């Protein structure tokens, strides 16, 4: 089982690069944002709870999010070959829970690909996407809140994974192709 965490601020390209990584390495993609948006679209109870956080740019509480992730892993046996985790973990608590979940499967996070992009470009990308995405959080006010949450709650995870020797920094600007080539080069050296 080869497990990749793709890490970075909102708009850093996690979803875009995940698509490339999946087609290259055949990993199973779990985007917690996509999982939650699917529930919102279906109008489920979980979707209603998720929407109340997402539209404010806040994180879904850890306990609930960890429970959701564990259910997704259990429901998808193909995840046993390896997963690209996109948008999870987002807190130290989630990272510790992921470590336990993977240990139960005699696996671990093999690498954390950290996409680094300047704030100005993140905002520009998300505003542009907001013209077509229909996402309730792609507006300037909520983008600023998401970036604030990222700096306070998610960025500390970088140090957590640096200490574990798993964090690999990737310049997240330039063409999608060039960024993907840097990721491939990093993975090939593992
Ligand atoms: P989530 O869906 O994970 O959103 P996010 O982290 O805010 O990131 P985005 O999906 O907006 O950006 P991305 O990094 O995937 O970039 P993308 O490839 O799309 O989470 C949404 C919400 O769900 C959270 O705020 C929270 O409420 C909740 N949530 C989710 N997971 C959670 C968790 N674990 N715990 C608690 N709550 C959770 O690219 C962005 C744009 O840029 C696109 O238009 C793309 O085409 C463009 N682009 C990409 N690469 C380039 C490039 N190289 N040059 C120019 N443009 C580019
Ligand atoms: Mg995304």
């Amino acid at each position: 089982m080869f497990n990749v965490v793709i890490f970075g601020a909102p708009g850093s390209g996690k979803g875009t690069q995940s698509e490339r990584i999946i087609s290259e390495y055949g990993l199973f993609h779990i985007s917690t944002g996509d999982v939650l948006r699917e529930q919102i679209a279906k109008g489920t109870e979980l979707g209603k709870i998720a929407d109340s956080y997402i539209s404010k740019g806040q994180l879904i509480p850890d306990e609930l999010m960890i429970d959701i992730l564990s259910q997704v892993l259990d429901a998808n046996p193909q995840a046993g070959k390896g997963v690209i985790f996109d948008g999870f973990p987002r807190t130290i608590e989630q990272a510790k829970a992921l470590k336990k979940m993977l240990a139960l499967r005699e696996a671990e996070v093999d690498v954390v690909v950290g996409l680094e992009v300047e704030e100005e470009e993140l905002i520009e990308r998300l505003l542009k996407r907001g013209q077509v995405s229909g996402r309730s959080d792609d507006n300037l006010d909520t983008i600023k809140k998401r970036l604030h949450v990222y700096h306070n709650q998610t960025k500390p995870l970088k140090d957590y994974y640096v200490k574990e020797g798993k964090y690999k920094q990737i310049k997240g600007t330039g063409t999608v192709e060039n960024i993907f080539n840097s990721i491939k080069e990093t993975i090939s050296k593992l």
Side-chain angles (χ1 to χ4, degrees):
M1 194 178 182
F2 182 70
N3 296 300
V4 179
V5 168
I6 190 143
F7 183 83
S12 57
K14 299 185 294 296
T16 305
Q17 294 298 331
S18 288
E19 281 177 28
R20 305 299 307 271
I21 296 171
I22 298 156
S23 50
E24 180 83 16
Y25 299 98
L27 300 177
F28 183 67
H29 184 208
I30 301 180
S31 155
T32 42
D34 288 350
V35 169
L36 298 169
R37 281 185 290 274
E38 226 168 81
Q39 295 294 319
I40 294 173
K42 285 185 190 154
T44 62
E45 275 313 304
L46 172 60
K48 281 174 199 154
I49 298 169
D51 191 36
S52 69
Y53 290 95
I54 290 182
S55 59
K56 294 192 200 101
Q58 295 168 354
L59 296 183
I60 275 72
D62 280 335
E63 203 184 333
L64 178 59
M65 202 62 238
I66 290 164
D67 198 37
I68 295 168
L69 187 87
S70 144
Q71 285 178 34
V72 174
L73 276 179
D74 286 342
N76 291 282
Q78 64 274 45
K81 289 185 188 144
V83 176
I84 175 149
F85 294 94
D86 162 5
F88 189 100
R90 260 175 152 95
T91 62
I92 302 279
E93 195 166 328
Q94 291 182 14
K96 288 182 178 163
L98 181 60
K99 192 172 188 168
K100 278 192 200 150
M101 273 185 249
L102 292 176
L104 285 173
R105 293 166 167 82
E106 290 173 3
E108 61 178 348
V109 167
D110 293 283
V111 62
V112 177
V113 172
L115 297 172
E116 310 223 341
V117 178
E118 301 74 38
E119 188 140 323
E120 210 175 307
E121 175 151 353
L122 295 171
I123 295 173
E124 206 176 289
R125 287 183 187 180
L126 293 174
L127 284 176
K128 192 170 164 204
R129 189 180 65 187
Q131 293 168 3
V132 290
S133 70
R135 274 178 58 164
S136 65
D137 56 353
D138 277 348
N139 57 76
L140 189 57
D141 190 37
T142 316
I143 290 167
K144 284 186 177 163
K145 287 184 186 142
R146 284 156 70 195
L147 288 169
H148 185 75
V149 165
Y150 171 74
H151 285 292
N152 287 300
Q153 293 176 260
T154 305
K155 212 170 169 201
L157 265 182
K158 176 178 167 179
D159 281 345
Y160 174 91
Y161 282 121
V162 166
K163 280 189 193 125
E164 292 211 332
K166 296 185 193 283
Y167 189 86
K168 304 290 176 198
Q169 180 171 326
I170 301 282
K171 182 170 164 277
T173 48
T175 65
V176 170
E177 198 56 40
N178 282 347
I179 299 165
F180 180 58
N181 284 334
S182 310
I183 295 175
K184 272 203 296 194
E185 204 185 315
T186 300
I187 291 180
S188 72
K189 286 188 197 147
L190 291 176

